[in-house]
Amino acid sequence: MKHLLLTGCLLLALVTTLPAASAGSVVSEQAAPSATPASEEPGGNRQVLLARLTRASLRESAEVLDQLERSGGRAMRGLFAAMLAGDLYYHRETGRLMAVQKNPAGERIGSDIFTGEGLGVQSRGSIKKVRVNNRLRSHLRDAIARIDLMHGTEAQKEGAVLAILDDLSPQNMRLLQVTADAGQSDRVSELIELARAMVELRDSSVTDARLSAIAVMSGRLEAPVRNQLQRLLDDERESDRKIRIAAQQSLEEIEGRIAFYDFMEQLFFGLSLGSVLLLAAIGLAITFGVMGVINMAHGEMIMLGAYTTYVVQQLMPGAIEYSLVVAVPAAFLVSGSVGVLIERGVIRHLQGRPLETLLATFGISLILQQAVRTIFSPLNMPVVTPGWMSGVFAINPVFSVTFNRLYILLFALAVFALLLVTLKKTSLGLNVRAVSQNRDMAKAMGVRTEMVDAMTFGLGSGIAGVAGVALSQLTNVGPNLGQSYIIDSFMVVVFGGVGNLLGTLVGGFSLGVTNKFLEPATGAVLANIIVLVCLILFIQKRPKGLFPQRGRAAE
Amino acid sequence: MNVKKFVAGMALAAGTSVLSAAVMAADTIKVGVLHSLSGTMAISETTLKDTVLMMVDEQNRKGGLLGKKLEAVVVDPASDWPLFAEKTRELLTKEKVDVIFGCWTSVSRKSVLPVIEELNGLMFYPVQYEGEESSKNVFYTGASPNQQAIPAVDYLMNDLEVERWVLAGTDYVYPRTTNKILEAYLEAKGVDKKDIMVNYTPFGHSDWQSIVADIKKFGGAGKKTAVVSTINGDANVPFYKELANQGVSAEDIPVVAFSVGEEELSGIDTRPLVGHLAAWNYFQGVDSEANERFIQEWKKFTGDEKRVTNDPMEATYIGFNMWAKAVEKAETTDVDAVEQAMIGIEFPNLSGGVAKMNKNHHLSKPVFIGEIQDDGQFEVVWETDGLVAGDAWSDFLPGSKDLIADWTAPIKCGNYNTKAKACGGQGQ
Amino acid sequence: MTTVEHNRSLFGNLAGALAQLRAPGEGSSLLVAILLGVTLLMSAANLLLPAESPLYVSTYTITLMGKYLCFAMLAMAVDIVWGYCGILSLGHGAFFALGGYGMGMYLMRQIGDRGVYGNPDLPDFMVFLNWQELPWYWQGMDQFWFALLMALLVPGLLAFVFGWLAFRSRVTGVYLSIMTQALTYALMLAFFRNEMGFGGNNGLTDFKDMLGFDLQADGTRVALLMATALLLALTFVASRAIVQSRLGRVVVAIRDAEPRARFLGYRTEGYKVWLFVYSALVAAVAGMLYVPQVGIINPGEFSPLNSIEVVVWVAVGGRGTLYGAIVGALLVNYAKTRFTAVMPDGWLFALGTLFVVVTVLLPKGLAGLLQRGRTTDAETRGENNTGEVSAGDAPAEPITGEARA
Amino acid sequence: MNVTAQARELLRRDTTWPFLVPRQRAVDVSHQVILYVEGLSVSFDGFKALNDLNLYVNDGELRCLIGANGAGKTTLMDVITGKTRCDSGSAWFGRNIDLLAHDEAAIAQLGIGRKFQKPTVFEAHTVYTNLELSLKGSKGAWSALTAALTGEQRDRIDRVLETIGLVNARYQLAGALSHGQKQWLEIGMLLAAEPRLLLIDEPVAGMTAEEAERTAELLTSLAGEHTVIVVEHDMEFVRSIARTVTVLHQGAVLAEGTMDQVQNNPDVIEVYLGEDA
């Protein structure tokens, strides 16, 4: 502790005396030997600081970074960015800092942080990572924001100003002033104007000025705006009634808008949950809905799809971005062929005894689970989310849509559409429908019913596998994956009406949306229970689900 | 098929399998392993089974104990809680094991407890848990809340200046108790009730959209916010994935978890999670010679270069070695003798320092806070100055603040009331 | 060693006896006799013989046997509705667990101030969650008769309401099965909630005594086993009486041709509801006996997978025959116990394969095997196969229409 | 009506509460008509299965219903037996019983028996048990639990067995019977229930000529004591038993009269041009 304090004092001295040369010599006593000649040059301090960075404790680093920012400014962005990303290493012997990234072959490729010049492959033992923690990361982020404010792209500038809204210190305001003076786009200027208004409201004592500041802030969705208004209203010392009323109105308007976006958000969450349910259920809608097999191994088909994704990613580590594109057909094939095997091996022998298929497929699901445990270990497997699927699409500060959910929603709809087309337009689909409606007649017409059965089951299983690919992006890839979806899947299919694909679609989405709209009021568990109870009651009303199979010969 | 033959065949098959299990040399010391190898908990517990097997191997290479070889008896309670009780009874009465290493979930421990007390067995429980328990027949080598939760909150409060708290957990006893303790602790530290958000989710919860959005909103109120997560195993992966997707970074809202270790991380792509925290008594990343050796041995034992180690493994390791030491000290495997010999036994931690078994059957261990790295490991960013002694009874719960556990004479009691000076609770 | 011989003799006897079944009446009495006899012998061997004796039966075996018999009763309950009435319930675990919770609450209250916190009124889990007073639904559960009543009333009522709703609206086949599954799933989620006041995930455990008898004493365990055997025998006889009465025949008629029965003037939903309630009560009794013997009840018992497993026991034993359900439950559970000990890493393979093989090769389960044996015997002896035949021979599959629709 | 008025209504001393009034079971046929069907309409998804149909059947009559597929024969039976709800119209059993207010089981207990198109018997039961379950009497679950056959009931079953010619098969499982035997068993089950009105859907489908002849005899012998309505495609069979024939077309009555009258009816000829006639 004492030691730390001492270092702290030294650093303080360092900061105050900068750029006095004497400080450099203080440092250089403990710094790397390579720093000696450099200390004479203008950039000498920087070299010293960089060298210090490699040895500093996490606490010291922050100070060093501040000095680096002051000394280097824009030039330091690369360094900071590399450090923020955790890519900053230094050579154990030379002490040279470099950004290190792995190439697809797994080799560590170094590059100079300032020039970007390639430094070749680095062996694992020769380089060491520059330590970084949360505190430093937020420090770095702020520093980068400050640099970006001056020199960044439009989006970076916007982000930087937004970050500053949280911390309207005089120093930051001066920075904003400089930025504004340099002339900015409308959006950035608007944000800077907002920041000024917030400061005005906070610091000014002139009622009119403050009122017009509130007018500027009105309707803004940025969290700091809302927080400031809320704080103002909570503050007992704020006695100006006009201000209070204006702030109150402004806050109400903001909250009104937020309520709308909250609703949109919940709707999206519901649709997204619905798409997951749809994906999970859609394969079952074939195996169970069309073929009448109570397929308890359906969940395991999903699981196989997810594991296929994992294997595909292991096989193509250099092309994670494309792995999902490969995984979708691969999962379809893997799960589909396992499905065909199950149909040929077991279900075929249970023709016309659907309840018994429940028991046999239950056994199969146990076997598949244990097989996966034996082959892959019982642990969850890491499946990487490709870059294009991560991140959010921010519509405004309170409403954003995550890309992976969005893609999965679209994917679910696409799979559904494709399946519908397959069943309606292809000869396989025709055969499937023929067999499911009247097996004997179809047989008499020359349809190879056995073949069709195997293909149908394979199709349903394959689609379950495809669902597994999508689910691997959201949840555990482990032996229990299937079990967590099997019950929901059955609920969706039964709710929609067995044998009706459209019912599955509507069922999945309505269950998802209901669940998500209940959740804020009741909590996740109770929402789930309520949905189940409603489902039970619904089936009393419509014993054949949402879209029952019609016809005179219903008995 | 001839029915009689078939049934007789079944009976015979069943009989022989029992025989083969029973025909075993009596001159071994039997070590029962009671970890789920199937069902929902297999994901965590299988590792511990392997750890015990590795320890047994190692001990046998060293010549066993008291001149006898150790023999592991592995059963699968299949994540089925009543089955835990049944298997315990089987281990103790049929297999006559001398010690059991087992359980993970609280409910499995609670299920086993009456049986192990009735039959006077000995069990080592290696997982962090909610506390509020001390049995004569159980040694708790995992962390109790004061060895994990409270230091973690201290760290967030002092080092990260967190002012607003989200206590998110799976709805079961461990999170409930831990959060109760934390709430009391935070309130004692002057945190406003408004600044604490408590949220419970069901087991295996997979749709975290709304909750993560709520956390974001809660964290957008202008004060530094952190999430204290007692979310259980399986639900963590979708939780972290959702955090990453909604762009909640560790710099904005750090999440500190008590149930997420290296093993759980091995199932997640950790790059978007860098900087989130976990509190444990051990991290694989801790630099020490003993740890390095242990990791190498583990990789060799499992034949998997990528296998990771974690805190419950260390707890198993310490427990096993302490037991071995105690057996040698007592020169018998008799439960009562070993139980008494255990108290005060010391054994070096893998993370440096020496763990000590206290009178309340809990360990004194160091506490570490680690940050998640992009390679699925943790980087230690904070550690306690010395050892923290595990509390069987929390000081922050009204029902248990007067209770202590002390298994030495003259108290010899797991729930001794210091006010009433009597054994047997009477907490209210 | 001792259990080996014992188990072998037990199953040997059972199997032999079953193989000799000629008419269901005789065979059933035989089953009851064996059941009671074996239990009595085991009990005596446990209590009277010294532990060193080769014939000694360990308390472990006693408890295990008790558990098996509870499962057998549960399986029988499922068989009554499924085998005889074609109602495939994938949620019978719910009634079992509710009965168990009723008993568990009584046992919990019996702990009194012997809990770890020494609180005379509140169970431990309420103390550490800072509950101040006992919730209303825990009142009165310290009285055995009341707890008993509740443990029957609640599942009975639930079955009645559910059955009344479902059967009146003519929910059948797969829809019904999935609804029962939803029912138990919803209950599981509800009981997992700590706010419900049933101990959440940990459930109720650490019981001390029952009616003043120490639950850990050998004598109590033996008594519980005997009570279980007796009640199993009783429910078996009662169920047999029901299925052989005209009511039973109407029920089978409903299973095979419900519209026909309806057009003959039978209000089929009424029959189904009462049968369902009866079956739920049997399941609840099984649950009540199960809890003191295994020492814990928790929401896991509501898990839909558990209920599916029960159906599998029935299928293995042979549905539509009461003894088949009992034998199925005993066999599968015995196999599970053995497999989990002998091959802990691979037992699911064995169990899964068993299910597949039984369903594919033995559609009527083991009982079907026996019947087949019997029929061939009879045919070779040139007898006229016109005797009363058990309901298991029914070829019709009521669900077919719906599922194939 | 407000609450007090309702309460007053409930407490009126000059009336008994509706649920205490004993259900009147006996059908009133004082006008010789046992079945009144008036203005009945049923539609499925826009398809009009019955379209303002009127039908009157006299007590003790043997009536044949003919018509092409989709003419509404089975739907009519469904409505009469309570299986299908109608959109409009009325159906009375005698003068006093509104069939539309009862469900299948109640209608069956009132004395209307129905035989399905496809023979439906309890295949897992013996022929004897099938008949036993069909006997007239209390059909409640509780009484079934303790029910035992009285001597009278045994006699009744024996008589039915003779009538349908299955005396020797009495202990056979119904599932093991031939198709024709199943048809008879089903008719026998109706007889055992002693109904006033029998609705019989295609009784001779799948029967040999000889069997059909015996069936015709059976049905004609039933008329008088029972009222019988037969739906049949087999015109030969209809001719052999029919006294009055009703022709249905597109959910409404096209013609009614004796076989000859109907066959010479220009409407019928137009609709069934070239068919059977």
Side-chain angles (χ1 to χ4, degrees), chain C residues 170 238 241-243 245-271 274 385-396, chain D residues 81-83 103-106 108-109 112-116 120-125 129-130 132-135 138-142 144-149 153 171-173 186 189-190 193:
Chain C
R170 303 200 182 158
I242 289 177
V243 298
S245 73
R246 184 182 292 171
L247 179 99
R249 274 171 290 180
V250 174
V251 161
V252 171
I254 292 171
R255 176 191 72 186
D256 293 343
E258 185 166 355
R260 177 74 273 167
R262 215 181 267 137
F263 286 118
L264 283 177
Y266 289 102
R267 236 183 215 101
T268 55
E269 54 271 20
Y271 280 81
W274 290 117
N385 183 29
T386 50
E388 195 167 345
V389 178
S390 96
D393 287 339
Chain D
T81 52
K83 190 181 161 211
D103 65 1
E104 296 109 307
Q109 287 180 31
I112 299 183
R114 175 172 184 188
K115 200 197 97 45
F116 295 104
T120 314
V121 293
F122 304 130
E123 306 207 337
H125 285 312
T129 309
N130 264 286
E132 180 190 338
L133 292 181
S134 316
L135 286 174
S138 171
K139 300 287 167 90
W142 291 113
L145 194 58
T146 50
L149 283 176
Q153 285 173 321
Y171 291 125
Q172 250 181 43
L173 284 186
E186 200 179 4
M189 287 163 77
L190 296 192

Side-chain angles (χ1 to χ4, degrees), chain B residues 52-220:
Chain B
V52 179
L53 292 184
M54 179 174 94
M55 305 303 304
V56 167
D57 265 11
E58 198 176 337
Q59 193 69 34
N60 279 338
R61 259 183 280 130
K62 282 192 237 160
L65 265 180
L66 305 178
K68 296 179 187 174
K69 287 279 180 204
L70 298 185
E71 179 197 334
V73 182
V74 180
V75 289
D76 178 14
S79 314
D80 175 356
W81 319 131
L83 205 56
F84 266 91
E86 182 188 315
K87 290 289 161 192
T88 310
R89 198 174 282 279
E90 181 180 338
L91 284 175
L92 290 175
T93 60
K94 262 181 72 182
E95 303 287 353
K96 305 212 185 322
V97 298
D98 297 291
V99 62
I100 295 174
F101 290 87
C103 294
W104 183 291
T105 57
S106 291
V107 53
S108 64
R109 192 188 67 249
K110 291 275 184 208
S111 172
V112 162
L113 207 58
V115 179
I116 203 141
E117 284 179 350
E118 176 198 338
L119 301 171
N120 197 24
L122 183 64
M123 183 169 89
F124 283 79
Y125 176 66
V127 183
Q128 87 283 8
Y129 82 120
E130 68 276 5
E132 304 297 295
E133 186 182 305
S134 178
S135 162
K136 173 182 166 268
N137 303 86
V138 181
F139 285 93
Y140 306 82
T141 56
S144 55
N146 74 317
Q147 288 176 305
Q148 213 183 1
I150 295 206
V153 166
D154 278 340
Y155 169 76
L156 291 175
M157 205 180 273
N158 301 332
D159 284 46
L160 298 183
E161 286 138 19
V162 170
E163 296 170 280
R164 253 164 108 79
W165 304 83
V166 179
L167 309 181
T170 302
D171 189 2
Y172 74 109
V173 184
Y174 170 65
R176 287 260 171 193
T177 317
T178 305
N179 288 346
K180 277 263 182 304
I181 293 172
L182 287 182
E183 269 180 276
Y185 182 74
L186 288 173
E187 274 166 39
K189 290 268 178 179
V191 176
D192 195 348
K193 257 196 180 323
K194 272 206 319 253
D195 287 332
I196 303 176
M197 166 177 150
V198 185
N199 181 290
Y200 292 107
T201 39
F203 277 95
H205 190 63
S206 60
D207 195 276
W208 290 90
Q209 300 180 87
S210 314
I211 291 163
V212 170
D214 283 350
I215 291 173
K216 265 170 86 174
K217 274 181 210 132
F218 189 78

